[in-house]
């Protein structure tokens, strides 16, 4: 299929432009796309996704506009193509197309997403919005980080459903010869063709335990058959998933398989979406699915980077990826103008809540000479006893002094940290009741990034620092609210798998960026650059 071309000359009397102009606000997303869609998403931008000859595709610029509006309004594929066919604003946004411009089927959107995913630049639509904002001088050296839960698009499964579903997936993935061999070793009477739970008396503990034991034995019997075999990709993935499900939830007690009385750290919660995980946004707020992470320029409120991780991944883990442009700025291709040189010389700043106040991230920011505006959780101790901050830690001297002025050496660990053990000194200490109840005395653990954490705790208690933090940090929360305001496609994922959820999330951020650029008055120039309209 060859790349299609967007019509450049809409009909004089049939164009949607004359109808919409004056009826839509000039800073609305429809108006900004109408004015700038050909410069934002030219057909040539997607030429590498198509062959040089063949049947012409729907013009990629039109598809890109539809994808952006679809994500902004939280529509399904079918709803989006229907909106394009009958909502005059969508045709106006796609360059002022004619009222009778033909629509297209929803599979065009499916095909475009697949082509983008298989390309070398799957996030090009989002990247284009950041590029335009940067050319217009809207992307500076300050960043604010935050994350939000994205609920998965599948139901969380219990143990017996997980095991049966994993076995069913393996039988489905095997070829007919291997499938016959696998079915021959099944010990239960379960055919594994139905998704319904087996018909037993679920109030009878003995029947439940027998069900779990027999299905676990079926699973292990299948894995025994596959041991040492070279499998195709689909069958291999299904076998690995079965092994994971059996190992995470079950334990053997007196030759009987039972549900383990613990929760595996990285537990698979669904065989339909094996990458989704249990997550916690706060101690009391749990969710199942993924986390969407953003970096935002707080001055222009443009999202500069996005990432999606499993729900159980810490907020700080993808931070370096989100901050790549400030941690490792690209060298300019040509000598910069004086204003650009001044901007490049400006020290970068990174804001984040206490979830980002981890030693490795603080150390990386300090190494890159970034001004750290990241909160660090205050040290605490159980029962209101002396926290670590009550001890004078001297990393240069390699020693720690307690509130009773007893000094001990830090015993180094191989990871760069260490421990300071006060031992017998605590037995005769008059402050011991305020310090520890341990029989062997107080132990102060020193992390490999203790210096950065101590500096962060001191900063977080400074009123001047806190005032600057509170004036800037909440801006990203408003942006998260913009991204998550729709339940379907915002707070809840529309697709399955981390890669697809990540692509969908970046497209949502692209739509939010274009809406913001419209408010800021973005406009292209005759020279092909971008600027902000005066006034």
């Amino acid at each position: 299929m060859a790349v299609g071309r967007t019509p450049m000359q809409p009909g004089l009397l049939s164009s949607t432009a004359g109808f919409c102009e004056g009826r839509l606000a000039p800073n609305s997303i429809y108006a900004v796309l109408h004015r700038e869609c050909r410069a934002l998403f030219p057909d040539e931008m997607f030429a590498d996704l198509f062959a040089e000859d063949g049947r012409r595709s729907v013009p990629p610029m039109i598809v890109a506009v539809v994808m952006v509006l679809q994500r902004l309004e939280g529509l399904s594929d079918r709803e989006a193509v229907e909106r394009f066919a009958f909502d005059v604003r969508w045709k106006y946004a796609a360059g002022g197309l004619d009222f009778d411009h033909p629509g297209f089927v929803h599979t065009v959107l499916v095909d475009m997403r697949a082509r983008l995913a298989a390309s070398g630049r799957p996030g090009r639509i989002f990247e284009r919005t950041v590029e335009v904002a940067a050319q217009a001088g809207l992307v500076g050296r300050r960043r604010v980080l935050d994350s939000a839960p994205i609920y998965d698009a599948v139901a969380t499964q219990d143990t017996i459903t997980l095991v049966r579903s994993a076995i069913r997936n393996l039988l489905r993935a095997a070829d007919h010869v291997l499938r016959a061999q696998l079915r021959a070793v099944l010990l239960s009477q379960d055919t594994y063709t139905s998704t319904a739970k087996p018909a037993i008396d679920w109030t009878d503990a003995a029947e439940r335990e027998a069900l779990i034991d027999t299905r676990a034995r079926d699973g292990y019997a299948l894995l025994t058959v596959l041991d040492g075999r070279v499998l195709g990709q689909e069958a291999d993935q299904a076998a690995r998933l079965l092994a994971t499900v059996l190992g995470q939830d079950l334990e053997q007690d007196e030759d009987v398989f039972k549900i383990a009385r613990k929760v595996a750290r990285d537990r698979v919660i669904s065989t339909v979406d094996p990458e989704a995980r249990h997550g916690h946004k706060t101690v009391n707020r749990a969710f199942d699915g993924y986390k969407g992470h953003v970096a935002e320029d707080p001055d222009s409120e443009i999202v500069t980077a996005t990432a999606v991780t499993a729900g159980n991944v810490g907020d700080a883990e993808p931070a370096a990826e989100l901050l790549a442009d400030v941690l490792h700025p690209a060298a300019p291709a040509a000598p910069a103008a004086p204003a650009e040189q001044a901007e490049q010389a400006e020290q970068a700043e990174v804001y984040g809540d206490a979830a980002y106040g981890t030693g490795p991230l603080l150390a990386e920011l300090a190494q890159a000479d970034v001004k750290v505006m990241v909160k660090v959780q205050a040290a605490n101790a159980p029962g209101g006893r002396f926290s670590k901050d009550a001890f004078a830690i001297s990393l240069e001297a390699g020693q720690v002094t307690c509130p009773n002025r007893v000094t001990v050496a830090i015993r180094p660990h191989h990871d760069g940290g260490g421990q300071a053990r006060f031992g017998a000194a605590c037995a005769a200490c008059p402050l011991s009741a305020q310090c520890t109840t341990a029989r062997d005395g107080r132990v102060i653990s020193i992390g490999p990034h203790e210096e950065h954490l101590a500096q962060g705790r001191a900063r977080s208690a400074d009123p001047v620092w806190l005032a600057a933090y509170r004036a800037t940090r909440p801006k990203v929360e408003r942006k998260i609210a913009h991204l998550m305001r729709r339940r379907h496609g915002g707070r809840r994922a529309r697709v399955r798998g981390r890669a697809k959820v990540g692509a969908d999330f970046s497209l949502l951020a692209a739509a939010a960026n274009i809406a913001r650029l419209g408010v800021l008055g973005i406009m292209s120039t005759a020279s092909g650059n971008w600027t902000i309209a005066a006034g």
Side-chain angles (χ1 to χ4, degrees), residues 345-356:
E346 180 185 357
Q347 186 182 24
E349 297 180 12
V350 171
Y351 293 76
D353 60 22
Y356 297 93

Side-chain angles (χ1 to χ4, degrees), residues 423-445:
C426 295
C429 178
L431 303 177
S432 62
Q434 299 172 255
C435 187
T436 183
T437 59
R439 181 182 303 175
D440 297 329
R442 182 69 181 264
V443 177
I444 298 297
S445 296

